[in-house]
Amino acid sequence: MQWNNAAMNYEHTPVLIVGGGVVGLSAALFLAAQGVRAKLVERHPDLLMHPRARGFTPRTVELYRQVGLEPAIRAASYAGGDQFAWVAVQADNLAGEHHPVEEPEDDVPQANLSPSPFAPIDQDKLELLLRERAVELGAELHFSTEMVEFTQDEDGVTARLVDRRTGDERVVRADYMIAADGYSSPIRKRLEIPTEGPGPFFHTITATITADLTPALRGRPVNIAYLQQPRPGTILMAHDQAGQRWVFGMGYMPDYGESVEDFTDDRVAELVGQAAGIPGVPVTVRPQIPGTDIKVLGFTIGAQVAQRYRAGRVFLAGDSAHIVPPTGGLGANTGIQDAHNLAWKLAAVIRGEAGPALLDSYHDERYAVGHFIMQQALARWQTRVAGEDNPPLMDYSTVTFGPIYRSAAVIGAPDGDAPALPVGQLAGQPGTRAPHLELSRNGEVISTIDLYGRRFVLLAPAGDSVWVEPARRVADDLGLPLDVYRIGPGGDLADVEGRFADAHGLTGSGALLVRPDGIVAWRAQTAFDDPAGALEEALRSLLAR
């Protein structure tokens, strides 16, 4: 469509985010934390009151920790304490014999890997927190607002928005746009970006219900049950710890004339009774979208990855870029981490600290992770639901912490094409997440993870200060915010565990450069004759300067 640009009055925003689910809200929050005031539009009138994801990995919680949200997440958790263990079982029905879902054992205890334990919080509760914090930091959020069309050119994106309550239209001009508009993604289709993978392969209805299923549990702990009744692929997911509130999901067949409308309250109650093994149990089906009486939703389960995560000034994130089966809870976590990876890069380019080519690294890094996560989620689906042979499962910690980034925004990533390193082998390699290590600052114990989030960070042993002044001089010359810390006796931070150098792969007077997202960008394992020259060359390369 050709618009008469000269006749239009534009609103301007540095970043337009389309989609107000967990990924879009996270993108708005992460950008706001970087000082970029984004505009988010969501066509629904409010957030979806359906739990969907029921927990978030330690790596995801680390990212929210960086923006001050972890305490609120802990307070809204449905399980107290840090020792929560997710219990997944397989059974014919809930009342029958339970078989634990098998997972490979982690090589390293979770507590040694991160200061942020797994967060047992429902996605709908998390989205409320994200919305509040994003607005607090300056993001603009507009619900009941639909983006109906857009064009882009070399300088930005022009989008037409419609207020679904009033019909009013307005035009927004954005420097960049993030498509967080779901697995069917009209934006991805408009950009003609193909996908790879099996694609959609299972259709499911979900309902949130109240029903006393404790007679079926008989005191056995269950967070999610994969059941054969009334159809293979049925799930009951606990929505409280008392056995009274649940999410019920079951496959249905739209290709054979079955529709979501067929699942009336009475039919859902009958099906829940069969799934629980308690025929006739009283069931209340609750609305899932605020302000409506919609009680049953249809979802498509599949596995696919977009071939390109970037098209000009438009970026795909979350389900628009990849869909994975829900087994393992990897989909939402992967989308949140997409948003985090992209946010600091957009902010650096918008502020003029990096060249536009830095944004190409978003596809290079997250596309590879998307494929890796798709394979691991498929393996878990086949094991838990389909009962088929599956590709080798990696332990959950390696899936969570082990992915390797290989792009122009990393110098010296491990050779080869392995998508991840076992967590026991992580030691500050460029392209991997910088390790968690306990440090002491003025008597307060913190994590190395707490040093990251806003700007680049250079870590060096405290034994000599060969990097300190050169680093500060380079940062001034480049106009780049850079934090420099000497770790160890006499340094800026005390090394509580006494293993800073080993944990980060440093010998002698080496140094480690960590990106704002906590990924190791570059490592000098020993000192350079010209530390300022080496660091400046690395930063110019990493930032496409």
Short mmCIF file of all heavy atoms in Angstrom, two decimals, residues 390-440:
data_model
loop_
_atom_site.label_atom_id
_atom_site.label_comp_id
_atom_site.label_asym_id
_atom_site.label_seq_id
_atom_site.Cartn_x
_atom_site.Cartn_y
_atom_site.Cartn_z
N ASN A 390 12.88 -40.76 20.83
CA ASN A 390 13.13 -39.33 20.72
C ASN A 390 14.62 -39.06 20.55
O ASN A 390 15.45 -39.91 20.85
CB ASN A 390 12.63 -38.61 21.98
CG ASN A 390 13.22 -39.22 23.23
OD1 ASN A 390 14.37 -39.01 23.56
ND2 ASN A 390 12.41 -40.02 23.93
N PRO A 391 14.96 -37.85 20.07
CA PRO A 391 16.36 -37.46 20.02
C PRO A 391 16.93 -37.42 21.43
O PRO A 391 16.19 -37.35 22.41
CB PRO A 391 16.31 -36.05 19.40
CG PRO A 391 14.97 -35.94 18.77
CD PRO A 391 14.06 -36.81 19.56
N PRO A 392 18.25 -37.47 21.57
CA PRO A 392 18.84 -37.47 22.91
C PRO A 392 18.45 -36.22 23.71
O PRO A 392 18.49 -35.11 23.20
CB PRO A 392 20.35 -37.48 22.62
CG PRO A 392 20.48 -38.02 21.24
CD PRO A 392 19.25 -37.59 20.51
N LEU A 393 18.04 -36.45 24.94
CA LEU A 393 17.69 -35.35 25.84
C LEU A 393 18.95 -34.84 26.53
O LEU A 393 19.74 -35.62 27.04
CB LEU A 393 16.71 -35.82 26.91
CG LEU A 393 15.25 -36.03 26.53
CD1 LEU A 393 14.51 -36.64 27.71
CD2 LEU A 393 14.62 -34.73 26.12
N MET A 394 19.10 -33.53 26.56
CA MET A 394 20.14 -32.93 27.38
C MET A 394 19.55 -32.59 28.74
O MET A 394 18.35 -32.35 28.86
CB MET A 394 20.69 -31.66 26.72
CG MET A 394 21.54 -31.91 25.51
SD MET A 394 22.35 -30.38 24.96
CE MET A 394 23.30 -31.00 23.57
N ASP A 395 20.40 -32.57 29.76
CA ASP A 395 19.90 -32.21 31.08
C ASP A 395 19.40 -30.77 31.06
O ASP A 395 19.83 -29.94 30.25
CB ASP A 395 20.96 -32.41 32.15
CG ASP A 395 22.13 -31.46 32.00
OD1 ASP A 395 23.09 -31.80 31.27
OD2 ASP A 395 22.08 -30.37 32.58
N TYR A 396 18.47 -30.47 31.97
CA TYR A 396 17.77 -29.19 31.94
C TYR A 396 18.71 -28.01 32.17
O TYR A 396 18.54 -26.94 31.60
CB TYR A 396 16.65 -29.20 32.99
CG TYR A 396 15.50 -28.30 32.63
CD1 TYR A 396 14.62 -28.66 31.61
CD2 TYR A 396 15.28 -27.10 33.30
CE1 TYR A 396 13.56 -27.84 31.27
CE2 TYR A 396 14.22 -26.28 32.96
CZ TYR A 396 13.36 -26.66 31.95
OH TYR A 396 12.31 -25.84 31.60
N SER A 397 19.72 -28.19 33.00
CA SER A 397 20.65 -27.10 33.26
C SER A 397 21.44 -26.74 32.01
O SER A 397 21.71 -25.56 31.74
CB SER A 397 21.61 -27.46 34.40
OG SER A 397 20.94 -27.50 35.63
N THR A 398 21.83 -27.75 31.23
CA THR A 398 22.56 -27.46 30.00
C THR A 398 21.67 -26.75 28.99
O THR A 398 22.09 -25.81 28.31
CB THR A 398 23.12 -28.76 29.40
OG1 THR A 398 24.10 -29.30 30.30
CG2 THR A 398 23.76 -28.52 28.05
N VAL A 399 20.40 -27.18 28.91
CA VAL A 399 19.46 -26.50 28.02
C VAL A 399 19.27 -25.05 28.47
O VAL A 399 19.17 -24.14 27.64
CB VAL A 399 18.11 -27.24 28.00
CG1 VAL A 399 17.07 -26.48 27.19
CG2 VAL A 399 18.29 -28.64 27.43
N THR A 400 19.24 -24.83 29.76
CA THR A 400 18.98 -23.50 30.31
C THR A 400 20.19 -22.58 30.23
O THR A 400 20.08 -21.42 29.83
CB THR A 400 18.54 -23.61 31.78
OG1 THR A 400 17.34 -24.40 31.85
CG2 THR A 400 18.28 -22.25 32.40
N PHE A 401 21.36 -23.08 30.62
CA PHE A 401 22.54 -22.22 30.76
C PHE A 401 23.60 -22.44 29.67
O PHE A 401 24.52 -21.63 29.56
CB PHE A 401 23.21 -22.46 32.12
CG PHE A 401 22.41 -22.00 33.29
CD1 PHE A 401 21.85 -22.91 34.17
CD2 PHE A 401 22.22 -20.65 33.52
CE1 PHE A 401 21.11 -22.48 35.27
CE2 PHE A 401 21.49 -20.21 34.61
CZ PHE A 401 20.94 -21.13 35.49
N GLY A 402 23.49 -23.52 28.92
CA GLY A 402 24.60 -23.93 28.07
C GLY A 402 24.69 -23.39 26.66
O GLY A 402 25.73 -23.54 26.02
N PRO A 403 23.63 -22.75 26.07
CA PRO A 403 23.72 -22.33 24.67
C PRO A 403 24.93 -21.42 24.40
O PRO A 403 25.32 -20.60 25.24
CB PRO A 403 22.41 -21.57 24.45
CG PRO A 403 21.44 -22.25 25.36
CD PRO A 403 22.26 -22.55 26.59
N ILE A 404 25.50 -21.60 23.21
CA ILE A 404 26.67 -20.84 22.78
C ILE A 404 26.24 -19.87 21.69
O ILE A 404 25.57 -20.27 20.72
CB ILE A 404 27.75 -21.78 22.21
CG1 ILE A 404 28.15 -22.84 23.24
CG2 ILE A 404 28.97 -20.98 21.76
CD1 ILE A 404 28.98 -23.97 22.65
N TYR A 405 26.62 -18.62 21.82
CA TYR A 405 26.38 -17.62 20.77
C TYR A 405 27.61 -17.53 19.88
O TYR A 405 28.74 -17.36 20.37
CB TYR A 405 26.14 -16.24 21.39
CG TYR A 405 24.78 -16.05 22.03
CD1 TYR A 405 24.56 -14.94 22.86
CD2 TYR A 405 23.73 -16.94 21.84
CE1 TYR A 405 23.33 -14.73 23.45
CE2 TYR A 405 22.51 -16.74 22.44
CZ TYR A 405 22.31 -15.63 23.24
OH TYR A 405 21.09 -15.42 23.84
N ARG A 406 27.38 -17.61 18.59
CA ARG A 406 28.43 -17.40 17.60
C ARG A 406 27.95 -16.33 16.64
O ARG A 406 27.00 -16.54 15.87
CB ARG A 406 28.74 -18.70 16.85
CG ARG A 406 29.31 -19.82 17.73
CD ARG A 406 29.60 -21.09 16.94
NE ARG A 406 30.25 -22.11 17.75
CZ ARG A 406 29.60 -23.05 18.43
NH1 ARG A 406 28.26 -23.08 18.40
NH2 ARG A 406 30.26 -23.94 19.15
N SER A 407 28.57 -15.17 16.70
CA SER A 407 28.17 -14.05 15.87
C SER A 407 29.29 -13.02 15.86
O SER A 407 30.30 -13.18 16.55
CB SER A 407 26.88 -13.40 16.41
OG SER A 407 27.17 -12.61 17.56
N ALA A 408 29.09 -11.95 15.11
CA ALA A 408 30.06 -10.87 15.09
C ALA A 408 30.09 -10.10 16.41
O ALA A 408 31.00 -9.30 16.63
CB ALA A 408 29.75 -9.90 13.94
N ALA A 409 29.10 -10.35 17.30
CA ALA A 409 29.09 -9.69 18.60
C ALA A 409 29.79 -10.53 19.66
O ALA A 409 29.65 -10.28 20.86
CB ALA A 409 27.65 -9.41 19.03
N VAL A 410 30.53 -11.55 19.23
CA VAL A 410 31.34 -12.39 20.11
C VAL A 410 32.68 -12.61 19.41
O VAL A 410 32.72 -12.88 18.21
CB VAL A 410 30.66 -13.75 20.39
CG1 VAL A 410 31.61 -14.69 21.13
CG2 VAL A 410 29.38 -13.57 21.18
N ILE A 411 33.77 -12.52 20.15
CA ILE A 411 35.10 -12.80 19.60
C ILE A 411 35.68 -14.00 20.33
O ILE A 411 35.81 -13.99 21.55
CB ILE A 411 36.03 -11.58 19.79
CG1 ILE A 411 35.50 -10.38 19.03
CG2 ILE A 411 37.46 -11.92 19.31
CD1 ILE A 411 36.25 -9.09 19.32
N GLY A 412 35.96 -15.06 19.55
CA GLY A 412 36.61 -16.22 20.14
C GLY A 412 35.69 -17.28 20.70
O GLY A 412 36.06 -18.00 21.63
N ALA A 413 34.48 -17.41 20.15
CA ALA A 413 33.56 -18.46 20.61
C ALA A 413 34.16 -19.83 20.34
O ALA A 413 35.00 -20.00 19.44
CB ALA A 413 32.21 -18.32 19.90
N PRO A 414 33.76 -20.85 21.11
CA PRO A 414 34.31 -22.20 20.91
C PRO A 414 34.12 -22.68 19.48
O PRO A 414 33.08 -22.43 18.85
CB PRO A 414 33.50 -23.06 21.89
CG PRO A 414 33.07 -22.10 22.96
CD PRO A 414 32.83 -20.80 22.25
N ASP A 415 35.12 -23.37 18.96
CA ASP A 415 35.03 -23.92 17.60
C ASP A 415 33.97 -25.02 17.54
O ASP A 415 33.57 -25.58 18.56
CB ASP A 415 36.38 -24.51 17.18
CG ASP A 415 37.45 -23.44 17.02
OD1 ASP A 415 37.08 -22.28 16.73
OD2 ASP A 415 38.64 -23.77 17.18
N GLY A 416 33.55 -25.32 16.32
CA GLY A 416 32.58 -26.39 16.11
C GLY A 416 31.18 -25.87 16.02
O GLY A 416 30.93 -24.66 16.03
N ASP A 417 30.24 -26.82 15.92
CA ASP A 417 28.84 -26.43 15.77
C ASP A 417 27.97 -26.94 16.91
O ASP A 417 26.74 -26.95 16.80
CB ASP A 417 28.29 -26.93 14.43
CG ASP A 417 28.43 -28.44 14.26
OD1 ASP A 417 28.91 -29.11 15.22
OD2 ASP A 417 28.08 -28.95 13.18
N ALA A 418 28.56 -27.34 18.00
CA ALA A 418 27.77 -27.77 19.16
C ALA A 418 26.91 -26.60 19.63
O ALA A 418 27.41 -25.50 19.82
CB ALA A 418 28.68 -28.24 20.29
N PRO A 419 25.60 -26.82 19.80
CA PRO A 419 24.73 -25.70 20.17
C PRO A 419 24.89 -25.25 21.61
O PRO A 419 24.51 -24.14 21.97
CB PRO A 419 23.32 -26.26 19.95
CG PRO A 419 23.47 -27.73 20.13
CD PRO A 419 24.84 -28.07 19.62
N ALA A 420 25.44 -26.12 22.46
CA ALA A 420 25.53 -25.81 23.89
C ALA A 420 26.69 -26.58 24.50
O ALA A 420 27.14 -27.59 23.97
CB ALA A 420 24.23 -26.16 24.60
N LEU A 421 27.17 -26.09 25.62
CA LEU A 421 28.18 -26.78 26.41
C LEU A 421 27.53 -27.33 27.68
O LEU A 421 26.71 -26.65 28.30
CB LEU A 421 29.29 -25.82 26.83
CG LEU A 421 30.36 -25.45 25.79
CD1 LEU A 421 31.32 -24.43 26.39
CD2 LEU A 421 31.12 -26.68 25.33
N PRO A 422 27.89 -28.54 28.09
CA PRO A 422 27.43 -29.01 29.40
C PRO A 422 27.84 -28.02 30.48
O PRO A 422 28.94 -27.44 30.43
CB PRO A 422 28.16 -30.35 29.56
CG PRO A 422 28.47 -30.79 28.16
CD PRO A 422 28.72 -29.53 27.39
N VAL A 423 26.97 -27.82 31.45
CA VAL A 423 27.24 -26.76 32.43
C VAL A 423 28.53 -26.99 33.19
O VAL A 423 29.18 -26.03 33.61
CB VAL A 423 26.05 -26.59 33.40
CG1 VAL A 423 24.86 -26.00 32.70
CG2 VAL A 423 25.70 -27.92 34.08
N GLY A 424 28.93 -28.23 33.34
CA GLY A 424 30.18 -28.51 34.04
C GLY A 424 31.41 -28.04 33.28
O GLY A 424 32.49 -27.95 33.86
N GLN A 425 31.24 -27.72 31.99
CA GLN A 425 32.36 -27.26 31.18
C GLN A 425 32.37 -25.74 30.99
O GLN A 425 33.28 -25.20 30.36
CB GLN A 425 32.34 -27.94 29.81
CG GLN A 425 32.49 -29.45 29.87
CD GLN A 425 32.40 -30.10 28.50
OE1 GLN A 425 32.62 -29.46 27.46
NE2 GLN A 425 32.07 -31.39 28.47
N LEU A 426 31.36 -25.05 31.49
CA LEU A 426 31.30 -23.60 31.30
C LEU A 426 32.34 -22.93 32.18
O LEU A 426 32.37 -23.13 33.40
CB LEU A 426 29.90 -23.09 31.66
CG LEU A 426 28.76 -23.54 30.74
CD1 LEU A 426 27.43 -23.07 31.29
CD2 LEU A 426 28.97 -23.01 29.32
N ALA A 427 33.20 -22.12 31.57
CA ALA A 427 34.27 -21.46 32.31
C ALA A 427 34.66 -20.16 31.64
O ALA A 427 35.82 -19.91 31.34
CB ALA A 427 35.48 -22.39 32.42
N GLY A 428 33.66 -19.32 31.35
CA GLY A 428 33.95 -18.01 30.80
C GLY A 428 34.32 -18.00 29.34
O GLY A 428 34.92 -17.03 28.86
N GLN A 429 33.96 -19.05 28.59
CA GLN A 429 34.25 -19.05 27.16
C GLN A 429 33.45 -17.97 26.46
O GLN A 429 32.26 -17.77 26.75
CB GLN A 429 33.90 -20.41 26.53
CG GLN A 429 34.69 -21.60 27.05
CD GLN A 429 34.01 -22.31 28.21
OE1 GLN A 429 33.21 -21.72 28.94
NE2 GLN A 429 34.32 -23.59 28.37
N PRO A 430 34.07 -17.22 25.54
CA PRO A 430 33.30 -16.23 24.78
C PRO A 430 32.09 -16.88 24.10
O PRO A 430 32.18 -17.99 23.56
CB PRO A 430 34.32 -15.72 23.75
CG PRO A 430 35.63 -15.88 24.45
CD PRO A 430 35.50 -17.17 25.22
N GLY A 431 30.96 -16.18 24.17
CA GLY A 431 29.72 -16.70 23.60
C GLY A 431 28.86 -17.46 24.58
O GLY A 431 27.73 -17.83 24.26
N THR A 432 29.36 -17.68 25.79
CA THR A 432 28.57 -18.37 26.81
C THR A 432 28.19 -17.39 27.92
O THR A 432 28.76 -16.30 28.04
CB THR A 432 29.35 -19.55 27.44
OG1 THR A 432 30.46 -19.04 28.20
CG2 THR A 432 29.86 -20.49 26.37
N ARG A 433 27.21 -17.80 28.73
CA ARG A 433 26.79 -16.96 29.85
C ARG A 433 27.94 -16.87 30.85
O ARG A 433 28.55 -17.86 31.23
CB ARG A 433 25.56 -17.58 30.50
CG ARG A 433 25.23 -17.05 31.90
CD ARG A 433 24.12 -17.90 32.49
NE ARG A 433 23.95 -17.70 33.93
CZ ARG A 433 24.62 -18.36 34.86
NH1 ARG A 433 25.56 -19.24 34.52
NH2 ARG A 433 24.37 -18.14 36.14
N ALA A 434 28.24 -15.65 31.28
CA ALA A 434 29.27 -15.46 32.29
C ALA A 434 28.87 -16.17 33.57
O ALA A 434 27.70 -16.09 34.00
CB ALA A 434 29.49 -13.97 32.55
N PRO A 435 29.80 -16.87 34.22
CA PRO A 435 29.44 -17.71 35.37
C PRO A 435 28.93 -16.92 36.57
O PRO A 435 29.28 -15.76 36.77
CB PRO A 435 30.75 -18.42 35.72
CG PRO A 435 31.66 -18.20 34.57
CD PRO A 435 31.22 -16.96 33.89
N HIS A 436 28.12 -17.62 37.36
CA HIS A 436 27.72 -17.10 38.68
C HIS A 436 28.82 -17.42 39.68
O HIS A 436 29.31 -18.55 39.77
CB HIS A 436 26.41 -17.77 39.10
CG HIS A 436 26.19 -17.79 40.59
ND1 HIS A 436 26.11 -16.64 41.35
CD2 HIS A 436 26.03 -18.84 41.46
CE1 HIS A 436 25.89 -16.97 42.62
NE2 HIS A 436 25.85 -18.28 42.71
N LEU A 437 29.21 -16.41 40.43
CA LEU A 437 30.22 -16.57 41.47
C LEU A 437 29.87 -15.60 42.59
O LEU A 437 29.46 -14.47 42.32
CB LEU A 437 31.60 -16.24 40.91
CG LEU A 437 32.82 -16.66 41.73
CD1 LEU A 437 32.93 -18.18 41.75
CD2 LEU A 437 34.09 -16.05 41.14
N GLU A 438 30.00 -16.04 43.83
CA GLU A 438 29.70 -15.14 44.94
C GLU A 438 30.86 -14.18 45.18
O GLU A 438 32.03 -14.58 45.22
CB GLU A 438 29.41 -15.95 46.21
CG GLU A 438 28.06 -16.64 46.18
CD GLU A 438 27.67 -17.21 47.53
OE1 GLU A 438 28.55 -17.31 48.42
OE2 GLU A 438 26.49 -17.54 47.71
N LEU A 439 30.51 -12.90 45.34
CA LEU A 439 31.46 -11.84 45.62
C LEU A 439 31.00 -11.09 46.86
O LEU A 439 29.84 -11.20 47.27
CB LEU A 439 31.55 -10.87 44.44
CG LEU A 439 31.86 -11.46 43.06
CD1 LEU A 439 31.74 -10.38 41.99
CD2 LEU A 439 33.25 -12.09 43.04
N SER A 440 31.89 -10.29 47.42
CA SER A 440 31.53 -9.47 48.58
C SER A 440 31.84 -8.01 48.27
O SER A 440 32.94 -7.69 47.81
CB SER A 440 32.30 -9.92 49.83
OG SER A 440 32.00 -9.07 50.93
#
